[in-house]
Coordinates of all heavy atoms in Angstrom, one line a residue:
M1 N -80.7 -151.4 11.7 CA -81.5 -150.3 12.1 C -82.9 -150.7 12.8 O -83.4 -151.7 12.4 CB -81.8 -149.4 11.0 CG -82.2 -147.9 11.2 SD -84.1 -147.9 11.7 CE -84.7 -147.5 10.2
S2 N -83.2 -149.9 13.8 CA -84.5 -150.4 14.4 C -85.3 -149.1 14.7 O -84.8 -148.3 15.5 CB -84.3 -151.2 15.7 OG -85.5 -151.4 16.3
A3 N -86.4 -149.0 14.2 CA -87.3 -147.9 14.5 C -88.3 -148.2 15.5 O -88.7 -147.3 16.2 CB -88.2 -147.5 13.3
N4 N -88.4 -149.5 15.8 CA -89.4 -149.9 16.7 C -88.8 -150.8 18.1 O -89.7 -151.0 18.8 CB -90.5 -150.8 16.1 CG -91.0 -150.2 15.0 OD1 -91.7 -149.0 15.1 ND2 -91.2 -150.8 13.8
W5 N -87.5 -150.8 18.1 CA -87.0 -151.6 19.3 C -85.7 -150.6 19.7 O -84.7 -150.6 19.0 CB -86.6 -152.9 18.8 CG -85.8 -153.8 20.0 CD1 -84.5 -153.9 20.1 CD2 -86.5 -154.5 20.7 NE1 -84.2 -154.7 21.2 CE2 -85.5 -155.1 21.7 CE3 -87.8 -154.8 21.2 CZ2 -85.8 -155.9 22.8 CZ3 -88.1 -155.8 22.1 CH2 -87.0 -156.3 22.9
Y6 N -85.7 -150.2 20.9 CA -84.7 -149.5 21.5 C -85.0 -149.4 22.9 O -86.0 -149.5 23.4 CB -84.5 -148.0 20.7 CG -85.8 -147.2 20.7 CD1 -86.2 -146.5 21.9 CD2 -86.7 -147.3 19.7 CE1 -87.4 -145.8 21.9 CE2 -87.9 -146.6 19.7 CZ -88.2 -145.9 20.8 OH -89.4 -145.1 20.8
P7 N -83.8 -149.1 23.6 CA -84.0 -149.2 25.0 C -84.6 -147.8 25.7 O -84.6 -146.8 25.1 CB -82.5 -149.3 25.7 CG -81.6 -148.9 24.4 CD -82.4 -149.0 23.1
I8 N -85.2 -147.9 26.8 CA -85.8 -146.9 27.5 C -85.2 -146.9 28.9 O -85.3 -148.0 29.5 CB -87.4 -147.1 27.5 CG1 -87.9 -146.8 26.2 CG2 -88.0 -145.9 28.6 CD1 -89.4 -147.2 26.1
I9 N -84.5 -145.9 29.3 CA -83.9 -146.0 30.6 C -84.8 -145.4 31.7 O -85.3 -144.1 31.5 CB -82.6 -144.9 30.6 CG1 -81.7 -145.3 29.4 CG2 -81.9 -145.1 31.9 CD1 -81.0 -146.8 29.4
D10 N -85.0 -146.0 32.7 CA -85.8 -145.6 33.9 C -84.9 -144.6 34.6 O -84.1 -145.2 35.4 CB -86.4 -146.8 34.6 CG -87.3 -146.3 35.7 OD1 -87.2 -145.0 36.2 OD2 -88.2 -147.1 36.1
E11 N -85.1 -143.5 34.6 CA -84.2 -142.5 35.4 C -84.3 -142.6 36.9 O -83.3 -142.3 37.5 CB -84.7 -141.0 35.0 CG -84.4 -140.7 33.5 CD -84.7 -139.3 33.2 OE1 -85.2 -138.5 34.1 OE2 -84.7 -138.9 32.0
E12 N -85.4 -143.1 37.3 CA -85.6 -143.4 38.8 C -84.7 -144.5 39.2 O -84.2 -144.5 40.3 CB -87.0 -143.7 39.1 CG -88.0 -142.7 38.7 CD -88.0 -141.5 39.7 OE1 -87.8 -141.7 40.9 OE2 -88.0 -140.3 39.3
K13 N -84.6 -145.5 38.3 CA -83.7 -146.7 38.8 C -82.3 -146.6 38.4 O -81.5 -147.3 38.9 CB -84.4 -148.0 38.0 CG -85.7 -148.3 38.5 CD -86.2 -149.6 38.0 CE -87.6 -150.0 38.6 NZ -88.2 -151.1 37.8
C14 N -81.9 -145.9 37.3 CA -80.6 -145.8 36.8 C -79.8 -145.1 37.9 O -79.9 -144.0 38.4 CB -80.5 -145.0 35.5 SG -78.9 -144.8 34.9
T15 N -78.5 -145.7 38.1 CA -77.6 -145.2 39.1 C -76.5 -144.5 38.5 O -75.6 -144.0 39.1 CB -77.0 -146.4 39.9 OG1 -76.3 -147.2 39.2 CG2 -78.2 -147.1 40.7
G16 N -76.4 -144.6 37.1 CA -75.3 -144.0 36.4 C -74.0 -144.9 36.4 O -72.9 -144.4 36.3
C17 N -74.3 -146.1 36.6 CA -73.1 -147.0 36.6 C -72.4 -147.0 35.2 O -71.3 -147.4 35.1 CB -73.4 -148.4 37.1 SG -74.3 -149.4 35.9
L18 N -73.1 -146.8 34.2 CA -72.7 -146.8 32.8 C -72.2 -148.1 32.3 O -71.6 -148.2 31.2 CB -71.6 -145.8 32.6 CG -72.0 -144.4 33.1 CD1 -70.9 -143.4 32.8 CD2 -73.3 -143.9 32.4
S19 N -72.5 -149.2 32.9 CA -72.3 -150.5 32.3 C -73.0 -150.7 31.0 O -72.4 -151.2 30.1 CB -72.9 -151.7 33.3 OG -72.2 -151.6 34.5
C20 N -74.2 -150.2 30.7 CA -74.8 -150.4 29.5 C -74.1 -149.6 28.4 O -74.0 -149.9 27.3 CB -76.3 -149.9 29.6 SG -76.5 -148.2 30.2
V21 N -73.7 -148.3 28.7 CA -72.9 -147.5 27.8 C -71.7 -148.2 27.3 O -71.3 -148.2 26.1 CB -72.6 -146.1 28.3 CG1 -71.9 -145.3 27.4 CG2 -73.8 -145.4 28.7
E22 N -71.1 -148.8 28.3 CA -69.7 -149.5 27.8 C -70.0 -150.7 27.1 O -69.2 -151.1 26.3 CB -68.9 -149.9 29.2 CG -68.5 -148.5 29.9 CD -68.0 -148.8 31.3 OE1 -67.8 -150.0 31.7 OE2 -67.6 -147.8 32.0
F23 N -71.0 -151.3 27.5 CA -71.5 -152.7 26.8 C -71.8 -152.6 25.2 O -71.4 -153.3 24.5 CB -72.4 -153.4 27.5 CG -72.9 -154.7 26.9 CD1 -72.1 -155.9 27.0 CD2 -74.0 -154.7 26.1 CE1 -72.5 -157.1 26.5 CE2 -74.4 -155.9 25.5 CZ -73.6 -157.0 25.5
C24 N -72.8 -151.6 25.0 CA -73.4 -151.5 23.7 C -72.3 -151.2 22.7 O -71.7 -150.1 22.7 CB -74.4 -150.5 23.7 SG -75.1 -150.5 22.1
P25 N -72.2 -152.0 21.7 CA -71.2 -151.8 20.6 C -71.7 -151.0 19.5 O -71.0 -150.8 18.5 CB -70.8 -153.2 20.2 CG -72.1 -154.0 20.3 CD -72.7 -153.4 21.5
H26 N -72.9 -150.5 19.6 CA -73.5 -149.9 18.5 C -73.7 -148.1 18.7 O -74.4 -147.6 18.0 CB -74.7 -150.4 18.1 CG -74.6 -151.8 17.8 ND1 -74.1 -152.2 16.6 CD2 -75.0 -152.9 18.4 CE1 -74.1 -153.6 16.5 NE2 -74.7 -154.0 17.7
G27 N -73.3 -147.8 19.9 CA -73.3 -146.3 20.1 C -74.8 -145.9 20.4 O -74.9 -144.7 20.2
V28 N -75.6 -146.8 20.8 CA -77.0 -146.3 21.0 C -77.1 -145.6 22.4 O -77.8 -144.6 22.5 CB -77.9 -147.5 21.3 CG1 -79.3 -147.2 21.6 CG2 -77.8 -148.4 19.9
L29 N -76.1 -145.9 23.3 CA -76.2 -145.3 24.6 C -75.1 -144.4 24.9 O -74.1 -144.5 24.3 CB -76.3 -146.4 25.7 CG -77.5 -147.2 25.6 CD1 -77.3 -148.6 26.3 CD2 -78.8 -146.6 26.1
A30 N -75.3 -143.4 25.7 CA -74.2 -142.4 26.0 C -74.5 -141.9 27.5 O -75.5 -142.1 28.0 CB -74.0 -141.2 25.1
E31 N -73.4 -141.3 28.1 CA -73.6 -140.8 29.4 C -74.0 -139.3 29.3 O -73.4 -138.4 28.4 CB -72.2 -140.9 30.2 CG -72.3 -140.4 31.6 CD -72.0 -139.0 31.5 OE1 -71.2 -138.4 30.8 OE2 -72.4 -138.2 32.7
K32 N -74.7 -138.9 30.1 CA -75.2 -137.5 30.1 C -75.7 -137.1 31.5 O -76.5 -137.7 32.2 CB -76.2 -137.2 29.2 CG -76.5 -135.7 29.2 CD -77.7 -135.3 28.2 CE -77.8 -133.8 28.2 NZ -79.2 -133.3 28.2
D33 N -74.8 -136.1 32.1 CA -75.1 -135.8 33.4 C -75.3 -136.9 34.5 O -76.1 -136.8 35.3 CB -76.6 -134.8 33.5 CG -76.5 -133.6 32.6 OD1 -75.2 -133.2 32.4 OD2 -77.4 -133.2 32.1
G34 N -74.5 -137.9 34.3 CA -74.3 -138.9 35.3 C -75.2 -140.1 35.1 O -75.3 -140.9 36.0
T35 N -76.0 -140.0 34.0 CA -76.8 -141.2 33.8 C -76.7 -141.7 32.4 O -76.2 -140.9 31.6 CB -78.3 -140.9 34.1 OG1 -78.9 -139.9 33.2 CG2 -78.6 -140.6 35.6
A36 N -77.3 -142.8 32.0 CA -77.4 -143.2 30.7 C -78.4 -142.7 30.0 O -79.5 -142.5 30.6 CB -77.4 -144.7 30.7
V37 N -78.2 -142.2 28.7 CA -79.3 -141.7 27.9 C -79.2 -142.4 26.5 O -78.1 -142.9 26.1 CB -79.2 -140.2 27.7 CG1 -79.6 -139.4 29.0 CG2 -77.9 -139.8 27.1
V38 N -80.4 -142.5 25.9 CA -80.4 -143.1 24.6 C -80.1 -142.0 23.6 O -81.0 -141.0 23.4 CB -81.8 -143.7 24.2 CG1 -81.9 -144.3 22.9 CG2 -82.1 -144.9 25.4
V39 N -79.2 -142.1 22.9 CA -78.8 -141.0 21.8 C -79.0 -141.5 20.4 O -79.0 -140.6 19.5 CB -77.4 -140.6 22.1 CG1 -77.2 -139.9 23.4 CG2 -76.3 -141.7 21.9
A40 N -79.0 -142.8 20.1 CA -79.1 -143.1 18.7 C -80.0 -144.3 18.7 O -79.5 -145.5 18.4 CB -77.8 -143.4 18.2
P41 N -81.4 -144.3 18.9 CA -82.2 -145.3 19.0 C -82.2 -146.1 17.7 O -82.5 -147.3 17.7 CB -83.7 -144.9 19.3 CG -83.4 -143.3 19.1 CD -82.0 -143.0 19.3
E42 N -82.0 -145.4 16.6 CA -82.1 -146.1 15.2 C -81.0 -147.1 15.0 O -81.1 -148.0 14.1 CB -82.1 -145.0 14.1 CG -80.7 -144.3 13.9 CD -80.5 -143.3 14.9 OE1 -81.2 -143.1 15.8 OE2 -79.4 -142.6 14.8
K43 N -79.9 -147.0 15.9 CA -78.7 -148.0 15.8 C -79.1 -149.2 16.6 O -78.2 -150.2 16.5 CB -77.5 -147.3 16.1 CG -77.1 -146.2 15.3 CD -75.7 -145.6 15.6 CE -75.4 -144.6 14.7 NZ -74.3 -143.8 15.3
C44 N -80.0 -149.3 17.4 CA -80.2 -150.5 18.2 C -80.7 -151.6 17.3 O -81.2 -151.5 16.3 CB -81.3 -150.1 19.2 SG -81.6 -151.4 20.5
V45 N -80.2 -152.8 17.7 CA -80.5 -154.1 17.0 C -81.8 -154.7 17.5 O -81.9 -155.0 18.7 CB -79.2 -155.0 17.3 CG1 -79.5 -156.3 16.5 CG2 -78.0 -154.4 16.7
D46 N -82.7 -155.0 16.5 CA -83.9 -155.7 17.0 C -83.8 -156.8 18.0 O -83.0 -157.7 17.6 CB -84.7 -156.2 15.9 CG -85.4 -155.0 15.0 OD1 -85.6 -153.8 15.6 OD2 -85.8 -155.2 13.9
F47 N -84.5 -156.8 18.9 CA -84.5 -157.8 20.0 C -83.2 -158.2 20.8 O -83.2 -159.1 21.4 CB -85.1 -159.2 19.3 CG -86.3 -158.9 18.5 CD1 -86.5 -159.1 17.2 CD2 -87.5 -158.3 19.3 CE1 -87.6 -158.8 16.5 CE2 -88.6 -158.0 18.6 CZ -88.8 -158.4 17.2
C48 N -82.2 -157.3 20.6 CA -81.1 -157.3 21.4 C -81.5 -157.0 22.7 O -82.3 -156.0 22.9 CB -79.9 -156.4 20.8 SG -78.4 -156.4 22.0
R49 N -80.8 -157.7 23.8 CA -81.3 -157.3 25.2 C -79.9 -157.1 25.9 O -79.9 -157.3 27.2 CB -82.2 -158.4 25.8 CG -83.5 -158.2 25.3 CD -84.3 -159.4 26.0 NE -85.8 -159.4 25.7 CZ -86.7 -158.7 26.1 NH1 -86.5 -157.9 27.2 NH2 -87.9 -158.8 25.6
G50 N -78.9 -156.9 25.2 CA -77.6 -156.9 25.8 C -77.5 -155.9 26.9 O -77.0 -156.2 28.0
C51 N -77.9 -154.6 26.7 CA -77.7 -153.7 27.8 C -78.7 -154.1 29.0 O -78.2 -153.8 30.1 CB -78.0 -152.3 27.2 SG -79.5 -152.1 26.2
Q52 N -79.7 -154.5 28.6 CA -80.7 -154.9 29.8 C -80.0 -156.0 30.6 O -80.1 -156.0 31.9 CB -81.9 -155.4 29.3 CG -83.1 -155.7 30.3 CD -84.3 -156.2 29.7 OE1 -84.2 -157.3 29.1 NE2 -85.4 -155.6 30.0
K53 N -79.3 -156.9 30.0 CA -78.7 -158.0 30.8 C -77.6 -157.4 31.7 O -77.3 -158.1 32.7 CB -78.2 -159.1 29.9 CG -79.3 -159.9 29.2 CD -78.7 -160.9 28.3 CE -80.0 -161.7 27.7 NZ -79.6 -162.4 26.4
V54 N -76.9 -156.5 31.2 CA -75.8 -156.0 32.0 C -76.2 -155.0 33.0 O -75.4 -154.6 33.9 CB -74.6 -155.4 31.2 CG1 -74.1 -156.4 30.2 CG2 -75.1 -154.1 30.3
C55 N -77.4 -154.5 33.0 CA -77.9 -153.5 34.0 C -78.4 -154.2 35.3 O -79.2 -155.1 35.2 CB -79.1 -152.7 33.4 SG -79.7 -151.7 34.7
E56 N -77.5 -154.0 36.3 CA -77.8 -154.6 37.6 C -78.9 -154.0 38.3 O -79.4 -154.5 39.4 CB -76.6 -154.6 38.5 CG -75.3 -155.4 37.9 CD -74.0 -155.2 38.7 OE1 -74.2 -154.7 39.8 OE2 -73.1 -155.6 38.2
F57 N -79.5 -152.8 37.8 CA -80.5 -152.1 38.5 C -81.9 -152.1 37.9 O -82.8 -151.4 38.2 CB -80.2 -150.7 38.7 CG -78.9 -150.8 39.4 CD1 -77.5 -150.6 38.7 CD2 -78.6 -150.7 40.8 CE1 -76.4 -150.6 39.3 CE2 -77.4 -150.7 41.4 CZ -76.3 -150.6 40.8
N58 N -82.1 -153.0 36.9 CA -83.3 -153.2 36.1 C -83.9 -151.9 35.7 O -85.2 -151.6 35.8 CB -84.4 -153.9 37.1 CG -84.0 -155.4 37.4 OD1 -83.5 -156.1 36.5 ND2 -84.1 -155.7 38.7
A59 N -83.1 -151.1 35.1 CA -83.5 -149.8 34.8 C -83.8 -149.8 33.2 O -84.1 -148.6 32.7 CB -82.3 -148.7 35.1
I60 N -83.6 -150.9 32.5 CA -83.8 -150.9 31.1 C -85.0 -151.7 30.7 O -85.0 -153.0 30.9 CB -82.5 -151.3 30.4 CG1 -81.3 -150.4 30.8 CG2 -82.7 -151.3 28.9 CD1 -80.0 -150.7 30.1
T61 N -85.8 -151.0 29.8 CA -87.0 -151.8 29.3 C -86.8 -151.4 27.7 O -85.9 -150.6 27.2 CB -88.3 -151.4 29.7 OG1 -88.4 -150.0 29.7 CG2 -88.5 -151.9 31.1
Y62 N -87.7 -151.9 26.9 CA -87.7 -151.6 25.5 C -88.8 -151.2 24.9 O -89.9 -151.6 25.3 CB -87.1 -152.9 24.7 CG -85.7 -153.2 25.2 CD1 -85.5 -154.2 26.1 CD2 -84.6 -152.6 24.5 CE1 -84.2 -154.4 26.6 CE2 -83.3 -153.0 24.9 CZ -83.1 -153.9 26.0 OH -81.8 -154.1 26.3
A63 N -88.7 -150.2 24.0 CA -90.0 -149.8 23.3 C -90.7 -151.0 22.6 O -89.9 -151.9 22.0 CB -89.6 -148.8 22.2
N64 N -91.9 -150.9 22.7 CA -92.8 -152.0 21.9 C -92.6 -153.4 22.3 O -92.0 -154.3 21.6 CB -92.5 -151.9 20.4 CG -92.9 -150.6 19.9 OD1 -94.1 -150.1 20.0 ND2 -92.0 -149.8 19.2
G65 N -92.9 -153.7 23.7 CA -92.9 -155.0 24.1 C -91.8 -155.5 24.8 O -91.7 -156.7 25.1
G66 N -90.8 -154.8 25.0 CA -89.6 -155.3 25.8 C -89.8 -155.2 27.2 O -89.2 -154.4 27.9
E67 N -90.5 -156.2 27.7 CA -90.8 -156.2 29.1 C -89.6 -156.7 29.9 O -88.7 -157.5 29.4 CB -91.9 -157.4 29.5 CG -93.2 -157.0 28.8 CD -93.8 -155.6 29.2 OE1 -93.7 -155.4 30.3 OE2 -94.5 -155.0 28.3
Q68 N -89.5 -156.2 31.1 CA -88.3 -156.7 32.0 C -88.5 -158.1 32.4 O -89.6 -158.6 32.6 CB -88.4 -155.7 33.3 CG -87.7 -154.3 33.0 CD -87.5 -153.6 34.3 OE1 -88.1 -153.9 35.3 NE2 -86.5 -152.7 34.3
K69 N -87.3 -158.7 32.5 CA -87.4 -160.1 32.8 C -87.2 -160.3 34.4 O -86.6 -159.4 34.9 CB -86.3 -161.0 32.2 CG -86.7 -161.1 30.6 CD -85.7 -162.1 30.0 CE -84.4 -161.4 29.7 NZ -83.5 -162.1 28.9
Ligands
LIG1 S1 -76.4 -150.4 33.4 FE1 -78.4 -149.6 34.3 S2 -78.0 -148.4 36.1 FE2 -76.1 -148.6 34.8 S3 -76.1 -146.7 33.6 FE3 -77.1 -148.4 32.3 S4 -79.4 -148.1 32.8 FE4 -78.2 -146.9 34.4
LIG2 S1 -80.3 -153.4 23.0 FE1 -78.2 -154.1 22.3 S2 -77.9 -152.8 20.5 FE2 -79.6 -151.9 21.6 S3 -78.7 -150.4 23.0 FE3 -78.8 -152.3 24.1 S4 -76.9 -153.4 23.8 FE4 -77.0 -151.7 22.2

């Protein structure tokens, strides 16, 4: 469980490819109206950057210090 670390989707950059939704094994992300949305931030794993790594559009950052690489 993570109250302080979870993804933030940049709606301007997100293309709706849904790679992140398919990748995350914890059900944190889901599709809504053609883009990815964060539906269960409390299930995100501290310091996991899995979905950021699979996003080809640099649309994912993290709450509390998750700078883009
Ligand atoms: S991988 Fe990136 S561009 Fe694709 S749906 Fe997720 S946030 Fe959007
Ligand atoms: S950081 Fe990891 S656990 Fe959190 S939403 Fe992305 S892939 Fe899932």
Side-chain angles (χ1 to χ4, degrees):
M1 197 281 269
S2 177
N4 298 311
W5 177 267
Y6 51 86
I8 295 170
I9 310 292
D10 184 335
E11 294 178 5
E12 299 284 319
K13 293 181 179 175
C14 178
T15 65
C17 75
L18 304 183
S19 293
C20 59
V21 177
E22 292 167 10
F23 176 84
C24 179
H26 301 287
V28 176
L29 300 160
E31 181 274 338
K32 184 180 181 219
D33 297 332
T35 62
V37 292
V38 178
V39 292
E42 73 281 2
K43 293 182 181 173
C44 187
V45 178
D46 280 348
F47 309 118
C48 175
R49 290 178 180 269
C51 53
Q52 185 181 55
K53 287 178 182 164
V54 300
C55 180
E56 298 176 11
F57 303 94
N58 297 320
I60 299 179
T61 53
Y62 295 94
N64 298 304
E67 301 298 324
Q68 280 186 338
K69 288 189 282 188

